[in-house]
Amino acid sequence: MPGAGAPRGQGQPPAGMGTVGRPWVLLFIYVLTTLELTCLFMQFSIIPYLSRMLGLDSVTFGYLQTTFGVFQLLGGPVFGRIQCPAIIAFLLNLLGAILSFTCIPVSTKRASAQGQADPPGKPKASVFDLKAITRLLLQPGVLPVFLIKVISGFPSGLFTVMFSIICMEFFRLESAQAGYLLSFFGLLLMITQGVVIGQLNKHFSEGTLLQASVLVFCMVGLAMASMSSVLHFCVLMPGFIFSLCTLNVVTDSILTKAVSTSDTGTMLGLCASVQPLTRTVGPTLGGLLYRSFGVPVFGHVQFAVNFLVLLVLWRQPLPQKRNRVQ
């Protein structure tokens, strides 16, 4: 491995800290992410149609999704009976686990002046140490950004957890057609996260990008309220994906850089818990809203919530320091 035998200079992080000079680490991370998302979308694409075959309506399907979110939030995976997709998902996730243990360094965060230094002899926090989590959230600038991440992303989470039902009942798509739409969805995710956000970050600060993501969320919400066809949704999808990706990437970057190296894992865990939290309360609420008001309600909720968040950001903007998204 290049540079493995090089002496460590004073003030440099130990081997395994940072990814500079080792691009294969980022490559493996992209591979793992691709495998995980592939398996996830495979499951999402078949569960609604299986639910329809079993006679479940949209509200009952919401209860099913809520149950999934509860177990995901608690960290306990729920395995059903083996279907061909489940076997493939198991094998690919097993491959991902092997790559994680053998190829990914224990820590990839480089020590920097932006993060807080670890105090000498600081004990490691327990996984279930609520005091440590509270301490992180109460650090300067952390709680407002975390709340923006949760509140601004919740309406889009409502829509995404009900997206499969909307494909069947509103767009009238067959399972294969829904799969093509999800593939387009994944392609936009890849381009936005891999190219667009990185280029924008060279010219704009994280605070500006966060405001832009919330503003685009508002515009997409207004347009979604009058959405009438799958073609209309495909036109809106690039803006939807841009806002979703930018919100997640920028807030994760701000939050992880605000804490010390030893707290990075805890903060990443908090960030990752937002999606399971949405999947816990979102499906039941989304199912009730969908049955009572139809698809336009998701656009109205997205516009209203993000408009309020945008007002808060304009009144109390984040520091406009140009920090590179990690």
Side-chain angles (χ1 to χ4, degrees):
M1 191 168 63
R8 297 178 188 169
Q10 186 176 1
Q12 295 295 324
M17 303 277 294
T19 58
V20 178
R22 293 186 299 169
W24 56 269
V25 173
L26 292 177
L27 176 62
F28 273 114
I29 291 174
Y30 280 122
V31 170
L32 293 176
T33 303
T34 302
L35 292 178
E36 192 270 339
L37 290 177
T38 299
C39 297
L40 192 63
F41 279 114
M42 286 172 60
Q43 297 175 47
F44 286 169
S45 62
I46 64 170
I47 287 178
Y49 294 91
L50 179 61
S51 301
R52 175 59 60 82
M53 291 172 58
L54 296 176
L56 302 183
D57 59 13
S58 58
V59 176
T60 309
F61 177 73
Y63 295 151
L64 179 64
Q65 293 287 80
T66 295
T67 304
F68 172 78
V70 169
F71 283 104
Q72 186 182 18
L73 183 63
L74 296 177
V78 180
F79 294 97
R81 294 183 176 180
I82 300 299
Q83 298 145 337
C84 181
I87 297 176
I88 298 175
F90 167 75
L91 294 176
L92 291 180
N93 277 283
L94 179 62
L95 175 61
I98 294 173
L99 292 176
S100 296
F101 281 109
T102 58
C103 301
I104 304 298
V106 176
S107 176
T108 58
K109 184 174 184 180
R110 181 180 294 276
S112 67
Q114 296 174 347
Q116 301 174 4
D118 296 328
K122 176 183 176 182
K124 279 193 173 182
S126 169
V127 175
F128 302 102
D129 190 351
L130 296 181
K131 291 183 179 180
I133 296 176
T134 303
R135 175 180 58 81
L136 288 183
L137 291 177
L138 294 181
Q139 288 188 14
V142 170
L143 185 58
V145 176
F146 187 77
L147 290 177
I148 290 173
K149 180 182 184 69
V150 174
I151 296 173
S152 180
F154 186 74
S156 61
L158 282 180
F159 178 78
T160 54
V161 296
M162 296 301 299
F163 180 68
S164 299
I165 290 293
I166 292 173
C167 283
M168 286 193 303
E169 297 184 354
F170 187 74
F171 295 144
R172 303 292 181 181
L173 299 181
E174 299 295 333
S175 58
Q177 295 171 325
Y180 298 146
L181 188 60
L182 287 175
S183 296
F184 178 52
F185 191 87
L187 180 62
L188 288 176
L189 277 172
M190 181 177 64
I191 295 175
T192 303
Q193 293 192 154
V195 180
V196 176
I197 296 178
Q199 293 299 315
L200 290 176
N201 187 61
K202 295 179 180 179
H203 305 285
F204 302 99
S205 68
E206 291 175 338
T208 300
L209 290 177
L210 187 57
Q211 289 180 345
S213 68
V214 177
L215 176 61
V216 175
F217 259 145
C218 292
M219 298 169 60
V220 172
L222 281 177
M224 190 181 295
S226 59
M227 181 173 61
S228 59
S229 67
V230 67
L231 180 60
H232 189 181
F233 177 68
C234 288
V235 174
L236 298 178
M237 196 180 293
F240 182 84
I241 295 297
F242 165 79
S243 295
L244 191 62
C245 293
T246 304
L247 175 71
N248 289 331
V249 171
V250 171
T251 52
D252 286 359
S253 176
I254 295 174
L255 291 171
T256 53
K257 288 189 294 187
V259 300
S260 63
T261 303
S262 61
D263 289 327
T264 302
T266 304
M267 182 56 71
L268 286 173
L270 283 174
C271 294
S273 68
V274 174
Q275 182 184 12
L277 178 64
T278 303
R279 296 192 64 83
T280 300
V281 294
T284 300
L285 178 60
L288 293 173
L289 289 175
Y290 175 68
R291 184 176 66 177
S292 301
F293 305 103
V295 173
V297 70
F298 297 107
H300 292 306
V301 171
Q302 181 166 302
F303 169 76
V305 170
N306 282 278
F307 182 73
L308 294 177
V309 173
L310 189 61
L311 291 179
V312 173
L313 283 174
W314 275 343
R315 288 177 60 87
Q316 297 179 343
L318 296 176
Q320 297 298 302
K321 186 185 296 183
R322 185 169 296 173
N323 294 327
R324 288 193 60 81
V325 174
Q326 300 296 320

